[in-house]
Amino acid sequence: MTETERLKEVGRRAGALVVGVAAADAFNTYVPEGHRPQDILPGARSVVVAGSMGPTAGAWQCPDHRVMEITGYDFRENVAIHVMCDFIEREYGYRALQAPSLPTSGHTPPMSMMLAAVLAGLGTRSLAANIVLHPEYGMLYYAALLTTMPLVPDHPLEKDVCPSPPCVQMYRKLGTTPCLAACPAAAGGCLDGAIDADGRIAYSYYDRERCTARAMTFGISGLQKALVQILTEDDAEKRRAMIYSDFFTQSLSALSFYKESVAQCFECMRVCPVGRTYRKLR
Ligand code: SF4
Ligand code: SF4
């Protein structure tokens, strides 16, 4: 086993479903200064990306969609990244740190996990909110680490995962795909797109602000909205009811555990055929 293969195996044993490697330099073509691996870890040479399933197959099948809010995010990819960081530093003596992926301003994180996943050959962007689809598993959650260790990089996939063949067929007949039909921008949703004669994405549109308001109703955004309403409510009884409401309680719970707050809408992915095999068990 090479050092790169050994490291990937450590990540998989720690809970990652897939692990890929990108060269740190590969980001320079796509991102501005300040967001490149070397800006975050001076001397960074490699980026290791771990992906894991979010919601389990069972969670996808639950008829109450709200269950997805509390069962979908268990951070296995983050655990795998921490374990691989420790392994690199203790076993090989190179520096490693988890890539910062939560926004520090607006919705922009210091580093894009989507780009990291694409450059590490784990998937390609889709018509559904640009979500990166793995060719076998479909939607995965991604985390990454930066390291000064030289590793053998993977390469971006040569074939686009989206649109999948059944989606191309549907588009030819109906002018839409499952995800676009689930959330059409023209009818108050967030998505629009077109597929060209070669069956590739010709155009895609994603209204991120609208999606955030629809998909992330609990968590940071929900709490901020609720606080403004509570603080500007003059009626003491109403204020009390708002504070003890299910909504406010769930918003606090989401923040406390940072588990329920990730997303409350998976509809564009629920209908996506990529990875469906793994969401339909017995
Ligand atoms: S997550 Fe929900 S709101 Fe956002 S694009 Fe998908 S279906 Fe639309
Ligand atoms: S349903 Fe999935 S594969 Fe089909 S177009 Fe949408 S994201 Fe792409």
Side-chain angles (χ1 to χ4, degrees):
M1 255 192 189
T2 64
E3 289 177 339
T4 303
E5 287 164 350
R6 202 168 157 219
L7 179 65
K8 287 181 175 179
E9 184 58 22
V10 166
R12 283 192 290 266
R13 287 191 182 186
L17 188 63
V18 294
V19 181
V21 175
D25 286 348
F27 289 73
N28 298 356
T29 313
Y30 303 97
V31 290
E33 275 183 38
H35 296 269
R36 295 172 178 168
Q38 287 95 347
D39 298 324
I40 297 160
L41 177 64
R45 297 176 74 177
S46 308
V47 177
V48 183
V49 185
S52 72
M53 295 270 196
T56 61
W60 280 108
Q61 297 302 314
C62 180
D64 184 346
H65 291 190
R66 289 173 301 177
V67 168
M68 297 281 271
E69 299 163 16
I70 52 172
T71 56
Y73 206 66
D74 57 13
F75 299 110
R76 277 172 296 179
E77 67 284 357
N78 288 325
V79 172
I81 287 296
H82 292 166
V83 171
M84 286 191 283
C85 279
D86 287 347
F87 186 75
I88 289 170
E89 296 202 334
R90 289 181 195 156
E91 191 80 9
Y92 295 121
Y94 288 94
R95 295 193 184 101
L97 94 166
Q98 177 163 19
S101 59
L102 292 176
T104 49
S105 167
H107 294 142
T108 309
M111 226 186 114
S112 165
M113 292 303 99
M114 292 167 83
L115 178 61
V118 170
L119 293 177
L122 295 178
T124 63
R125 292 189 186 238
S126 70
L127 279 172
N130 293 318
I131 289 168
V132 172
L133 295 181
H134 184 275
E136 191 175 354
Y137 300 112
M139 182 184 77
L140 296 178
Y141 291 144
Y142 290 106
L145 68 81
L146 314 178
T147 177
T148 51
M149 184 173 176
L151 294 164
V152 180
D154 297 295
H155 297 286
L157 298 178
E158 286 176 10
K159 193 171 180 313
D160 294 338
V161 179
C162 170
S164 73
C167 298
V168 176
Q169 281 175 11
M170 179 175 171
Y171 185 82
R172 300 264 185 267
K173 275 192 196 153
L174 305 173
T176 189
T177 67
C179 60
L180 298 180
C183 195
C190 312
L191 305 176
D192 194 14
I195 297 175
D196 68 17
D198 296 327
R200 302 191 68 190
I201 297 173
Y203 150 77
S204 75
Y205 169 82
Y206 167 51
D207 189 329
R208 185 172 64 177
E209 300 308 314
R210 193 181 274 176
C211 174
T212 301
R214 289 161 58 116
M216 299 194 179
T217 45
F218 304 125
I220 295 170
S221 313
L223 185 70
Q224 286 167 325
K225 193 173 167 190
L227 275 179
V228 171
Q229 289 169 345
I230 290 166
L231 292 173
T232 52
E233 175 56 61
D234 292 332
D235 186 320
E237 268 312 301
K238 268 194 193 166
R239 215 165 45 232
R240 185 182 159 79
M242 288 160 87
I243 289 172
Y244 285 96
S245 67
D246 284 352
F247 175 76
F248 196 66
T249 305
Q250 191 156 358
S251 296
L252 292 174
S253 166
L255 284 193
S256 316
F257 297 107
Y258 224 102
K259 181 173 171 68
E260 304 168 22
S261 60
V262 178
Q264 287 87 47
C265 175
F266 288 85
E267 297 319 300
C268 51
M269 281 293 103
R270 190 184 295 282
V271 294
C272 180
V274 184
R276 183 166 288 163
T277 321
Y278 294 90
R279 301 202 298 269
K280 284 200 178 273
L281 303 180
R282 283 184 295 162

